[in-house]
Amino acid sequence: MTAIRSISDMMFTTSSFLFLFFPAVLVGYQIISLICRKFQNAYLLLASLMFYCWNGTENLPILLSSIMLTYFSGILIDKSNYKAVKKTLLAIGIAINILLLGFYKYSGLIPDFISELNVRNFNIRDITLPAGISFFTFQSISYIIDVYRGECALVNPIDLGLFLSFFPKLISGPIIRCSDIRDSLRSSCLSFDVILDGFERFLIGLCKKVVIANNLSVLTDSVYRGMRFKSSSVLMLWLAAFAFTLQIYYDFSGYSDMAIGMGKMFGFSLPENFNYPYAAASVTEFWRRWHMTLSQWFRDYVYIPLGGSKKGMIRHIFNLLVVWGITGIWHGSKWNFLFWGLCNFLLLVFEKYFIRPEKIRSQIGKGLYRITSMICILLLWSIFRVDNLSNALLIIKAMLGFSGNVLHDNRTLFLLNEYKFYLAAGFLFAFPFFAVLRMQHPRFSLALRTLVIAGGTLLAISYILKEANNPFIYSLF
Amino acid sequence: MRKFTLTSILILFLFFFVDALCITEKNYQSRRNSAAMNNLHLFRSLQLPDNTLSERFALRYFFYDCAGIFHRLIGRNYVNEIYRNNDGYLLKRQQNIDVSESAERLVQLKTFCSQHGTKLLYVNFPYKTASDSDLSLFGTTCYANQNADAFLEELRKNDIDYIDMREYFHDRYANLYEAFFKTDHHWKISSGLYCAQVLSSEINERYHLGLSPEKIADKNMSISLMENSWVGEYGQKTGASYSGMDDFELIEPVIPTSFHLKIPNRKMDTDGDFSVMLNKKVLDINGFWERRYGRSLYYLYLYGNDPIQTIHNNDESSGRILLIKDSFAQAVSPFLAMTANTIVNWDLRYNDMSLYDFIEKNDFDIVIVMYSSSMIGREINGRLMFDFSH
């Protein structure tokens, strides 16, 4: 049994956020900018805290504690002149963050006989996972380390609080560094064009999430919810896996786009998180394009400090194992996530030391390898999607035809026909379609893109007004 | 073009923002239970449940129809858990359920009624799907008929009287869908009339209660057809532009009638002819969007689902009937009331009173439980639809 997770009820694609909270904060921010710019950050911090406790304040102390811990750790480390003291404070700061994350996120892994203990009427099973804890603890750790390295220091607690809790990226990233927004914290200058650019990015994210991801979730749920995969045809299993491959991309990248867009509308330049990952030529390249801020975080704070690839093959493989083990369990406190992480590790080692895809010369070979990589990614997403390890293995077995499932059935053909638009659009826009079109027909590309965004927004608002509940997948982490 | 389009969308968002701020108690007509609001209060309006907020936005109907048009364009036949068959009928799948608890509860009710000298009859209404394979086109099975068959089998074993309306409807309609609205899960008013005709005759034949089924013969009824006049619940869920609109037959008797209608929930205690049971104000809702999303013509008959409704027929002296019903009976009991002295409609979903006490205190000739197949084994508002002992 895992800890119960908590979602801020005000996700970006809810009516109350889109048509109440966000416009109110944006309009208020513009007014504050005109009246007294020095209160801009305080205003945004207040709005972010309000966002976080939209549906209850029980997790607010955790966020505030994290802010205070990070602030004081940073101050003490920055002010200290002794390296040993700095190191100790660094270790304490990191340890507390890890303990915080571990307690709330991984208590479900504690064996049943411990979790059944009731300590002063407190049951471990009743722990609520604070929304965004995986993200703000990582940012806290990165800040403390950056201060230790002398790369960044925020002396103003409001700035630090805003850095950790800025609402566009609070729940599901991107994972930002202090250096990413340090200049914007000091002064953010907004023109209407910048606001429109940000708004456009926000709308793209909205369309991705509501129009494509939400609709594909119905298709994937028809297989992955409960044990439905046991009675699904082989073709249905592959269709659901393909749909989930698209769903998770559009869900997560949609959120990131909305976060980046909103950040821009407030004068903050948040880092990119996705770069058309399904256009990658290999698994290695895929992970350079997927959730880039997390990959960079692990690279800079785990992989390189361990030695990276500079200390020989055995150590390199060990470092990759550590990184991917942590990556797996960062995504979830169930064993299938760890298994998923380790499978990625194996593929990366395989590519690095055996296949070496960068050395494939022929176009056909490259093409085949690209397709094989994506099939591997797709299979791994199936492991990611199910609710436990044994089901993950069962579903892979069924997909490969070893479980006696029928090859296809009416239901599969019906759902394929039903969701063909979303599957096709999802597949098309997973590649840099507009970027390629812009090179050849720039004006037509711009017109078409504007039309697609406008039509998609109209549709997204329709879906939102019709259906209120549509949580983001990565908010579960 | 890009700048103009983005600015327009931004203005639309700001419009929605202002609209959301202006949601007040005065124009708030949510059908769901929600927190009360006191006029314009920014922070309170921010705390509105999300679906409640969505239901109050201006232009929402336009957006519902946008989604509906889009779904038609891309050829979808499954929207919001509702299937659309080749004839345009909207259908919902019923799952396979365990009928034993429902049957057991009905047996308990029968025992109680017997102890008080009251007869018990179960009436099974047809579900929209004629057979389990109606949804085979969509690769799935609707278990409504299987559930009903299993339930009626239990009633047979326990010697409980029942009427399976499906048999009568299969005889009357070559295509069972004709008995139902396209865009709603309910049957047509003409189906409710037919059911009342069958029921009143059967009651007389089995129990000799002296009802007057001849009063509700077809020749005594006038029918006014209103074409493309409303959109049912399924249609509103999928979008009226997706489902299309339904016709509606307003059926009223041409013979003189005299009733006393009492609906405490609506503070109604009134006398009149048959029209006293019709909520004709619904027909005054005639705006373009309101006809599509703002009214349900089905509830023109008997106003809606109330905890208790009492219909006393001043022209009849025989037959005191308690109907434990769902919304399908809205189209039945006004006509049944023309044949009997008293009909009491009791809706378990909204009624917290003790049914057993009510039966004990009132001298009913017969208690009729009349449900659509979809109600078997179902819980609504946290209560099993066969939980009569509350």
Side-chain angles (χ1 to χ4, degrees), chain A residues 316-330:
Chain A
H316 180 217
I317 292 174
F318 173 77
N319 293 342
L320 283 172
L321 177 63
V322 168
V323 167
W324 281 98
I326 299 173
T327 303
I329 61 173
W330 180 88

Side-chain angles (χ1 to χ4, degrees), chain A residues 389-452:
Chain A
L389 183 57
S390 59
N391 281 350
L393 298 173
L394 285 172
I395 209 168
I396 296 296
K397 191 179 164 194
M399 285 174 77
L400 298 174
F402 295 123
S403 293
N405 296 49
V406 296
L407 189 58
H408 67 85
D409 55 14
N410 280 349
R411 184 84 179 146
T412 310
L413 298 173
F414 165 69
L415 289 174
L416 180 60
N417 182 58
E418 194 65 19
Y419 291 96
K420 58 184 182 295
F421 171 82
Y422 306 101
L423 292 166
F427 183 76
L428 178 67
F429 293 120
F431 298 93
F433 167 74
F434 280 115
V436 169
L437 190 66
R438 188 166 53 240
M439 285 193 297
Q440 293 165 8
H441 307 284
R443 289 179 72 175
F444 174 70
S445 163
L446 183 63
L448 181 64
R449 182 183 149 98
T450 304
L451 206 63
V452 168

Side-chain angles (χ1 to χ4, degrees), chain A residues 60-120:
Chain A
L60 184 62
I62 298 160
L63 177 61
L64 291 174
S65 302
S66 181
I67 292 171
M68 288 289 103
L69 165 75
T70 310
Y71 177 69
F72 285 115
S73 299
I75 291 286
L76 291 172
I77 291 172
D78 191 43
K79 296 292 181 217
S80 171
N81 294 320
Y82 300 100
K83 194 157 181 167
V85 172
K86 279 180 186 281
K87 242 183 185 170
T88 307
L89 290 167
L90 172 72
I92 292 170
I94 293 173
I96 292 175
N97 271 296
I98 291 174
L99 279 170
L100 198 69
L101 183 62
F103 175 73
Y104 282 104
K105 195 162 176 177
Y106 303 108
S107 50
L109 289 177
I110 298 169
D112 282 352
F113 74 91
I114 293 176
S115 68
E116 288 297 339
L117 289 175
N118 281 307
V119 180
R120 291 182 189 171

Side-chain angles (χ1 to χ4, degrees), chain B residues 124-143:
Chain B
N124 180 62
F125 292 155
Y127 188 65
K128 212 167 174 179
T129 49
S131 74
D132 296 346
S133 59
D134 274 27
L135 298 185
S136 60
L137 180 69
F138 310 112
T140 189
T141 303
C142 179
Y143 290 93

